[in-house]
């Protein structure tokens, strides 16, 4: 009898501890600090929220010798209960002043007519991203530097297929929007409608639907609008 009572008391205590860690800001703050202690590359402070009611991070990022991925602020609202049904459901992910820096690529290889071999990717569980917003972002790699002022994305991912419901981006050169589907296997078959304003030289129309495989997509777009993949 005493053994059973001791086991029951231990289970209740453990359950209370788990709930404390997951449902309170103090518990989440302790978990975040523990993660940072184990991963020196992880940066940022959890300043508000908890797992169930949204998280707000100040200066979050990942910085190592080769890579920098950081933002001034990250806000996440999601449905953690959906994980019990095997779905990652994100209501809103907001990033401000995102900076991505990657190491310079190796020396450019000679041009080749061979088709680009793309890796097959399959998501371990369905993902629903209702809204991702970016307020200013910078991508740097070697001499390459691109900046966007605003970005909006809404998409679903199921196994190897990504459905892009809405994608909008604002750049110093103009604005672009895209809707479509892409499968991350084989030649990455793509079906999408792309709109660029103002249309670049060589663009036949403000809106154009492109279908085919992504490994040859850049062969069909004007030079100023080519897609470049880094695998």
């Amino acid at each position: 009898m005493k053994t059973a009572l001791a086991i029951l008391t231990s289970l209740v205590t453990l359950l209370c501890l788990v709930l404390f860690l997951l449902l309170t800001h103090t518990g989440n703050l302790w978990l975040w600090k523990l993660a940072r202690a184990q991963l020196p590359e992880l940066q940022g402070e959890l300043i508000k929220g908890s797992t169930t009611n949204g998280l707000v991070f100040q200066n979050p990022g990942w910085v190592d010798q080769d890579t920098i991925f950081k933002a001034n602020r990250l806000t996440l609202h999601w449905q953690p209960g959906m994980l019990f049904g095997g779905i990652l459901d994100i209501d809103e992910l907001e990033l401000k002043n995102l900076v991505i820096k990657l190491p310079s690529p190796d020396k450019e290889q000679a041009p080749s007519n061979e088709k680009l071999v793309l890796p097959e990717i399959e998501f371990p569980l369905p993902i629903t991203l209702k809204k991702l917003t970016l307020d200013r972002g910078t991508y740097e790699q070697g001499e390459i530097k691109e900046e966007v002022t605003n970005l909006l994305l809404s998409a679903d991912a199921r196994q190897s297929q990504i459905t892009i419901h809405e994608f909008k981006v604002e750049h110093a050169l103009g604005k672009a929007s895209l809707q479509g589907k892409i499968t991350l296997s084989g030649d990455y078959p793509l079906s999408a409608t792309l709109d660029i304003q103002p249309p670049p030289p060589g663009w036949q129309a403000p809106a154009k639907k492109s279908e085919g495989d992504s490994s040859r997509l850049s062969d069909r777009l004007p030079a100023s609008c080519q897609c470049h993949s880094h695998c």
Side-chain angles (χ1 to χ4, degrees):
M1 183 66 179
K2 291 183 178 180
T3 302
L5 182 59
I7 294 176
L8 179 60
T9 302
S10 299
L11 291 176
V12 171
T13 302
L14 179 61
L15 178 60
C16 291
L17 177 60
V18 171
L19 292 176
F20 169 77
L21 292 174
L22 295 179
L23 304 182
T24 68
H25 174 69
T26 302
N28 280 241
L29 187 60
W30 184 84
L31 290 174
W32 178 251
K33 289 182 177 180
L34 179 63
R36 288 196 58 193
Q38 298 298 318
L39 300 170
E41 298 85 357
L42 189 62
Q43 298 185 352
E45 300 295 335
L46 175 60
I47 61 174
K48 184 179 179 181
S50 66
T51 304
T52 55
N53 62 13
L55 299 166
V56 181
F57 294 91
Q58 189 75 29
N59 299 319
W62 179 274
V63 179
D64 58 29
Q65 294 181 348
D66 300 320
T67 305
I68 296 177
F69 185 97
K70 62 181 181 180
N72 285 1
R73 192 178 182 93
L74 183 152
T75 302
L76 170 66
H77 294 283
W78 67 315
Q79 301 291 334
M82 296 295 290
L83 290 174
F84 293 104
I87 300 175
L88 177 57
D89 191 339
I90 300 174
D91 292 325
E92 184 175 9
L93 178 61
E94 180 182 350
L95 292 162
K96 292 186 178 181
N97 294 320
L98 175 66
V99 175
I100 300 175
K101 292 184 179 181
L102 301 178
S104 301
D106 297 334
K107 294 182 179 180
E108 295 184 1
Q109 299 179 351
S112 173
N113 293 326
E114 295 182 3
K115 181 182 292 188
L116 179 65
V117 179
L118 301 171
E120 182 172 350
I121 300 175
E122 184 170 329
F123 296 95
L125 75 168
I127 300 174
T128 297
L129 177 59
K130 296 175 183 176
K131 185 180 181 181
L132 181 151
T133 57
L134 170 62
D135 181 7
R136 299 192 178 279
T138 303
Y139 171 85
E140 295 185 35
Q141 186 177 25
E143 298 180 355
I144 300 173
K145 183 176 182 179
E146 296 291 341
E147 297 181 353
V148 298
T149 54
N150 286 287
L151 184 147
L152 171 67
L153 172 65
S154 175
D156 290 316
R158 300 290 186 273
Q159 296 181 336
S160 294
Q161 181 170 290
I162 297 177
T163 301
I164 302 173
H165 303 296
E166 185 177 18
F167 176 79
K168 295 181 179 180
V169 62
E170 294 183 13
H171 188 275
L173 299 178
K175 301 179 181 180
S177 62
L178 181 145
Q179 290 180 319
K181 295 181 178 181
I182 183 171
T183 301
L184 306 182
S185 62
D187 293 329
Y188 282 32
L190 167 70
S191 176
T193 300
L194 175 64
D195 179 59
I196 299 178
Q197 297 293 340
W203 197 248
Q204 297 179 357
K208 180 175 181 177
K209 186 171 184 178
S210 178
E211 295 186 359
D213 63 84
S214 301
S215 62
R216 294 293 190 187
L217 180 60
S218 60
D219 296 335
R220 302 193 302 275
L221 295 178
S224 57
C225 293
Q226 289 188 1
C227 296
H228 301 279
S229 298
H230 302 278
C231 301

